[in-house]
Amino acid sequence: MESKDDDYWNDSTNKSFNFDEDEVAVLEVPTASTAANRRSLFGEDTASEVHFANTQHELPLSVIISDEDLASLLDDQSRSEVPLPKGISLEEEVKLLRRRLQECSYAPSAASVVAKLVLGKSCSLEMFRSLGEKEELLDEAVASGSGNAILKVVLFLERTLKKKLFYRLLQTRPEAVSHYVNYMALRLKVTECTDLLVFLGRHHEASLLQFSIYVRSTSNVEFKRQRLKKIYSDYFSQPGANSFYAQLVANYINLLEFQVSEQHAPNAGSILDGSVLETLHYACGRYKWGDTAHQSSPTNPFKLAEAHAVGQPQFEWVALNERARAKAWLDFEHIFERKAWLNLKQKSFTIHIPIDRTILRLSALNAPEPVLNNFLAKVDDPARRLGLARRVNAKRGVVDALVALKDRTELEQFKDGLEAGTEERFYAENALKSLNNKWKSDAIKLIK
């Protein structure tokens, strides 16, 4: 027959000892119905979950909590744990241990956790299990204004919530969306970013994000072209798409197709995945300037610049540098001279870049003096022309500027400084004679 002690331990009555009272008291241990709002460290306890007969079926710890969060939790506890004071009674020690167990068993306040995240301290978020608690935690993180705290909480929510619930929480919190999208975009998580933005109704941003990621993430021109064509078909060709960005994407696809078509031509390897201006520079070198038979050629730089909305100053600067490096000085006529509207046989000089900068650039590229003089003649102000001619050492340009200024004294001094018998010396002497004859003619007119 079993003793009374054995009856006590085998009794199913739920009893516990109250350490806070001076006398022994029988306390009701929460059952499944009364413990709905309470929690243990790793989940909602029910009668079956705490039954010791099922210990062989317990889940491994790694399934319940991630290794990273477990390490953070243990590290946080080890740093914040205060040793028990010495000399206290057994009863007081039990009370302290019981209080600490309660603190670990209940979720801390969202404000205290976010404060730790803001300060860069490691802490676990696994204690926030209900949707309401997670929403409160997210609001606290957003209110803190700390990008690190917001991102930490958002990534925790992404991992512990279904996608639909996760998106709904972010729907009214644009700051959280911004941090999450930037984080995922940097890691080339295109699908995750696009799904969220489409769910939020931000189709325009989703399309531009895909465009920017695929443009920057790969140097494989063919793969990039195929991806961009799909993006254009899915977003930019649809009704309501932004016409400006649709044209921008279409132009970029056309640019890639032009580069692919030219990849086997000489020196074409340098333009693969290159910019519009780099491609234009290549086209200027391939084009047969002045040959009307090549005006319909795919490498026509005028058409390429027009198709990609390259401004006239940019076009002239690229063409000038490319032709100058190729020493193709005669091609400048086809770049800067246009047929007049009223007289198609007459051509007019037109330039959209500063003439001073053009002359200095040509001098730096070792342009011959006749080319420099041709551009110097387009400077209207004689004094400014004289200064530029002296800077680039264009002797004829200096003479022409002094003649325009009617400065005989300076012209005589400049002539005397030129080497005798040279072409420049003869040119200066003839200019001085012409200036003297004109001065005499003007003087006679005044006497009469």
Side-chain angles (χ1 to χ4, degrees):
M1 184 175 180
E2 295 181 352
S3 64
K4 292 184 177 181
D5 289 339
D6 292 334
D7 293 338
Y8 173 82
W9 292 111
N10 293 326
D11 192 359
S12 63
T13 305
N14 292 327
K15 299 179 181 180
S16 65
F17 193 82
N18 185 359
F19 291 102
D20 293 330
E21 301 295 339
D22 295 333
E23 298 179 355
V24 177
V26 177
L27 299 179
E28 180 184 359
V29 176
T31 61
S33 60
T34 61
N37 297 322
R38 301 185 185 179
R39 65 188 68 215
S40 67
L41 184 59
F42 299 115
E44 300 294 335
D45 289 340
T46 63
S48 61
E49 289 175 332
V50 297
H51 199 282
F52 294 106
N54 295 329
T55 55
Q56 65 272 23
H57 301 294
E58 289 180 356
L59 294 174
L61 188 60
S62 60
V63 175
I64 303 173
I65 184 171
S66 66
D67 294 340
E68 180 184 356
D69 287 317
L70 179 60
S72 299
L73 180 61
L74 295 175
D75 180 65
D76 186 55
Q77 288 180 347
S78 64
R79 287 186 293 154
S80 60
E81 185 174 349
V82 180
L84 293 173
K86 296 181 179 179
I88 62 174
S89 64
L90 179 61
E91 184 179 352
E92 291 174 341
E93 183 177 345
V94 171
K95 287 182 179 180
L96 286 174
L97 292 174
R98 182 182 175 204
R99 189 174 298 113
R100 289 184 184 180
L101 179 61
Q102 289 177 342
E103 290 175 356
C104 293
S105 300
Y106 290 88
S109 67
S112 64
V113 171
V114 171
K116 287 185 178 181
L117 295 177
V118 171
L119 295 175
K121 295 182 178 180
S122 85
C123 58
S124 174
L125 307 180
E126 297 294 332
M127 303 302 295
F128 296 88
R129 297 189 184 88
S130 71
L131 182 61
E133 289 173 341
K134 292 176 180 179
E135 187 171 6
E136 181 185 1
L137 181 64
L138 178 60
D139 288 333
E140 284 288 343
V142 172
S144 72
S146 170
N148 290 335
I150 295 173
L151 187 57
K152 176 78 174 178
V153 172
V154 169
L155 294 178
F156 166 70
L157 298 182
E158 179 197 29
R159 182 168 50 83
T160 58
L161 288 177
K162 292 183 178 179
K163 182 180 288 187
K164 197 170 185 180
L165 288 176
F166 175 61
Y167 286 174
R168 284 179 180 175
L169 284 183
L170 296 184
Q171 192 169 17
T172 56
R173 297 164 178 88
E175 298 91 343
V177 173
S178 177
H179 285 286
Y180 177 73
V181 169
N182 289 337
Y183 175 84
M184 301 305 283
L186 287 174
R187 285 150 182 80
L188 304 181
K189 302 291 186 179
V190 182
T191 303
E192 290 82 349
C193 294
T194 303
D195 289 348
L196 173 59
L197 292 174
V198 169
F199 177 84
L200 299 176
R202 294 157 63 170
H203 301 272
H204 177 65
E205 292 181 47
S207 59
L208 289 181
L209 179 65
Q210 288 192 64
F211 174 75
S212 63
I213 288 178
Y214 283 118
V215 166
R216 293 182 286 115
S217 63
T218 178
S219 58
N220 187 322
V221 177
E222 183 59 29
F223 173 77
K224 183 183 297 186
R225 185 174 68 91
Q226 295 296 335
R227 295 302 304 177
L228 293 182
K229 288 180 73 173
K230 186 177 187 308
I231 294 172
Y232 182 83
S233 175
D234 292 344
Y235 296 99
F236 294 102
S237 63
Q238 301 301 320
N242 186 294
S243 58
F244 173 80
Y245 290 110
Q247 187 62 48
L248 179 68
V249 176
N251 287 346
Y252 192 79
I253 294 173
N254 292 335
L255 179 67
L256 294 177
E257 290 178 344
F258 172 80
Q259 293 172 351
V260 170
S261 67
E262 292 287 318
Q263 62 181 333
H264 299 298
N267 302 323
S270 59
I271 67 168
L272 285 176
D273 204 28
S275 67
V276 173
L277 296 184
E278 290 171 337
T279 308
L280 178 62
H281 186 276
Y282 162 81
C284 288
R286 288 265 292 157
Y287 185 60
K288 302 297 182 182
W289 298 85
D291 190 347
T292 56
H294 286 77
Q295 290 183 354
S296 58
S297 170
T299 58
N300 186 334
F302 293 100
K303 290 188 176 181
L304 185 65
E306 182 181 0
H308 295 281
V310 177
Q312 196 64 30
Q314 283 184 313
F315 171 79
E316 292 175 359
W317 185 254
V318 171
L320 177 135
N321 279 270
E322 194 283 326
R323 292 288 80 195
R325 288 192 175 96
K327 308 299 180 184
W329 310 112
L330 295 179
D331 288 343
F332 286 161
E333 174 186 351
H334 307 291
I335 298 173
F336 297 105
E337 293 188 359
R338 305 284 188 274
K339 292 183 179 180
W341 287 101
L342 299 178
N343 187 358
L344 296 179
K345 294 183 179 181
Q346 184 180 0
K347 293 183 178 180
S348 61
F349 182 88
T350 305
I351 188 168
H352 296 84
I353 50 180
I355 190 68
D356 304 49
R357 185 181 180 187
T358 302
I359 294 170
L360 295 176
R361 181 58 179 166
L362 288 172
S363 176
L365 294 173
N366 301 316
E369 188 172 332
V371 175
L372 296 174
N373 291 330
N374 185 36
F375 281 88
L376 283 167
K378 311 305 178 183
V379 180
D380 297 329
D381 183 9
R384 187 158 60 98
R385 189 195 315 169
L386 177 62
L388 285 169
R390 282 177 170 165
R391 287 186 64 181
V392 300
N393 196 27
K395 299 179 179 64
R396 287 200 178 193
V398 173
V399 172
D400 292 339
L402 291 173
V403 170
L405 290 170
K406 299 179 181 180
D407 192 340
R408 288 189 305 164
T409 305
E410 187 69 23
L411 182 56
E412 287 178 355
Q413 292 178 356
F414 181 75
K415 174 185 70 70
D416 295 339
L418 297 173
E419 185 179 352
T422 60
E423 185 178 350
E424 290 81 6
R425 177 67 177 257
F426 285 125
Y427 186 79
E429 289 174 348
N430 292 333
L432 186 59
K433 289 178 183 179
S434 176
L435 187 60
N436 287 333
N437 291 336
K438 187 176 181 181
W439 179 80
K440 290 179 181 179
S441 175
D442 292 341
I444 292 173
K445 288 180 181 180
L446 289 174
I447 294 173
K448 291 180 178 181

